[in-house]
Amino acid sequence: MNAFHYQQDQLYCEEIALADIARDVGTPFYVYSESDLRARAQAYVTAVGSDDGKTPTLICYAVKANSNPAIIRRLGAAGLGADVTSGGELFLALHADIAPSKIIFSGVGKTAAEIHAALDANIRAIHVESEMELEALAAIAAQRGQTAAIGVRVNPNISVETHPYISTGLHAHKFGVTPDRAMTMLHQAAIHPHLRPVSLAAHIGSQITAVPPFAQSAQFLVDMAQELAAAGIRLDYLDVGGGLGINYAAQDAPTIQEWAAAVAAPIRAAGYGLVMEPGRSLVGPVGALVTAVTYTKQQGDKTFVITDAGMSDLLRPTLYNAYHPIWPVQASDAAPVTVDVVGPICETGDWLARERPLPPLQPGNYLAILQAGAYGYAMSSNYNGRLRPPELLVHNNEYHLIRPRQQYEHLLM
Ligand code: LLP
């Protein structure tokens, strides 16, 4: 699983030189490796085993990480389901032929229209995150004469080391409900004629590079489920959410196997079905954003490399101070220079890398920003009248356009 590699001094994705693609389609563009995507999906499927028909075992891809229809379709074909967080993502998952029984709907603010759409599609479960939402769902299910399968997202108050914007499992966060409230909600659902409690879910954050908080969260879910079972409410599955980190700067992320084993063990031992919602760890490492240098300039004691990609294409550095590896598409032995790689957008925060050693660069040179398959294109925008870049999927020595570059007309819609 490492599609991006050098052959002689040229950076390749699988068997295609990125410089060749850049000459064909122009820059910037996102490029993904189909082989790596399949391998990562397979790693999950192998790690958790398959459904035995009684206790569900589901890897629900968190569509928010990369919602390109071709990516969702390929993950679906590999056996994965989907974790969706809006009516739009539900539409995309169904469009990619993911079976409704493999779709779960998470999120703190589902609207009545989104609840109707989920009930229309008859998805596996809607995971609710507040009492008001449970009431709204119950009323809609009753009005439709349907029984809605529900999960409750509990906030286990587990602290994790990650960027504060993507840590979600503390009581100070908007997500989920406290354990006592989750219990009350599940008890209420159990006696409601139009609700069926099937799950407890947690998601403690994203880009987490330690296994113990996940194991702790899984055990926490098991303990709560056992308490419910003692009261006669038997849940179908426990959902540990997503959150496994990838290797952006340090090589310290646990493997898919390590994460899956740690969360599956307590849940399986207690006889519950297992649902996981990975996003980043499936698609992050399989993608890169390729950009060209437009100009360089010296200012104060800085050297700026100005590229044709910016924060409208990849927001993570600006928003989270995130580090992404940047590799020159044409490698060089020349002594590196320390530069800031910045975009063309009218914001001081429009940077892709700061104080980064790179070989001396000239206009027209290409750079690949790696580990960009998750929350890259997905968080792109038209800010500053910029067109969203195309997305390409490489398979062996071929590439396919899986989303074209926007045209100026898109700025009118
Ligand atoms: N399940 C739920 C309920 C979530 O909220 C998320 C991510 C996931 C699963 C998938 O988590 P993952 O496996 O990707 O860590 N834009 C940020 C990440 C935001 C994550 C939001 N929720 C970033 O670029 O780092």
Side-chain angles (χ1 to χ4, degrees):
M1 285 199 274
N2 203 350
F4 295 95
H5 66 280
Y6 285 99
Q7 284 184 28
Q8 270 97 37
D9 55 357
Q10 283 295 315
L11 186 57
Y12 277 65
C13 176
E14 299 198 16
E15 296 161 33
I16 305 191
L18 291 178
D20 289 343
I21 304 181
R23 276 187 285 270
D24 286 357
V25 305
T27 51
F29 62 88
Y30 274 96
V31 58
Y32 311 111
S33 156
E34 184 162 1
S35 304
D36 276 9
L37 183 70
R38 276 184 210 279
R40 300 192 81 81
Q42 195 51 51
Y44 269 107
V45 172
T46 309
V48 300
S50 56
D51 216 304
D52 65 4
K54 285 204 308 280
T55 45
T57 300
L58 261 185
I59 302 298
C60 290
Y61 167 53
V63 170
K64 59 175 80 73
N66 185 322
S67 54
N68 186 289
I71 300 272
I72 305 172
R73 184 170 293 279
R74 276 163 181 78
L75 292 175
L80 275 56
D83 164 47
V84 302
T85 201
S86 66
E89 287 188 357
L90 173 59
F91 162 79
L92 287 167
L94 294 169
H95 179 271
D97 288 332
I98 307 254
S101 62
K102 291 182 170 183
I103 300 177
I104 53 178
F105 196 156
S106 315
V108 294
K110 297 171 210 81
T111 63
E114 289 174 323
I115 293 171
H116 276 288
L119 294 176
D120 279 342
N122 200 17
I123 63 171
R124 174 152 223 126
I126 301 177
H127 288 179
V128 298
E129 303 208 19
S130 66
E131 289 84 354
M132 262 198 211
E133 190 187 20
L134 185 65
E135 265 174 52
L137 172 55
I140 292 171
Q143 178 198 331
R144 297 169 59 103
Q146 227 172 314
T147 300
I150 66 125
V152 173
R153 174 158 168 192
V154 61
N155 185 319
N157 207 28
I158 292 172
S159 173
V160 292
E161 265 182 52
T162 186
H163 190 282
Y165 285 12
I166 52 176
S167 159
T168 49
L170 288 178
H171 288 169
H173 299 140
K174 69 175 176 177
F175 299 101
V177 293
T178 53
D180 52 332
R181 289 166 62 192
M183 288 302 221
T184 307
M185 287 162 71
L186 287 162
H187 276 279
Q188 283 168 350
I191 53 169
H192 193 286
H194 294 282
L195 297 175
R196 188 163 55 86
V198 296
S199 138
L200 254 176
H203 170 76
I204 54 175
S206 197
Q207 185 51 25
I208 298 168
T209 53
V211 167
F214 289 118
Q216 199 186 332
S217 173
Q219 187 57 50
F220 186 89
L221 293 177
V222 168
D223 292 346
M224 282 186 69
Q226 303 289 44
E227 209 179 310
L228 282 163
I233 302 170
R234 179 80 199 172
L235 299 175
D236 293 352
Y237 66 89
L238 301 176
D239 177 345
V240 295
L244 175 64
I246 59 174
N247 294 318
Y248 287 108
Q251 301 295 309
D252 58 355
T255 62
I256 288 170
Q257 288 79 354
E258 284 165 342
W259 180 43
V263 298
I267 292 177
R268 289 265 168 67
Y272 290 97
L274 168 72
V275 170
M276 300 176 82
E277 303 171 1
R280 188 190 316 264
S281 53
L282 275 164
V283 292
V286 316
L289 171 63
V290 179
T291 179
V293 175
T294 310
Y295 303 113
T296 63
K297 84 174 178 187
Q298 302 280 340
Q299 189 127 284
D301 52 7
K302 289 250 182 208
T303 300
F304 291 101
V305 170
I306 301 161
T307 55
D308 62 5
M311 64 186 276
S312 58
D313 307 291
L314 181 66
L315 185 60
R316 303 194 69 260
T318 303
L319 191 58
Y320 312 118
N321 208 10
Y323 176 100
H324 281 261
I326 299 188
W327 291 3
V329 166
Q330 161 108 43
S332 156
D333 292 337
V337 185
T338 300
V339 300
D340 279 17
V341 181
V342 299
I345 289 167
C346 301
E347 295 269 354
T348 303
D350 177 27
W351 56 274
L352 298 169
R354 288 200 283 209
E355 302 290 315
R356 190 70 65 87
L358 284 172
L361 292 162
Q362 303 293 327
N365 289 166
Y366 300 124
L367 295 172
I369 302 162
L370 299 181
Q371 306 287 339
Y375 307 111
Y377 188 94
M379 292 170 78
S380 66
S381 76
N382 289 121
Y383 187 42
N384 272 212
R386 305 221 346 124
L387 302 177
R388 284 195 171 87
E391 293 179 287
L392 312 168
L393 188 62
V394 168
H395 187 51
N396 300 334
N397 58 0
E398 287 178 4
Y399 70 84
H400 302 281
L401 192 64
I402 56 171
R403 176 143 32 205
R405 189 184 305 284
Q406 286 188 324
Q407 305 293 319
Y408 285 145
E409 292 70 46
H410 289 111
L411 299 178
L412 302 173
M413 295 174 205

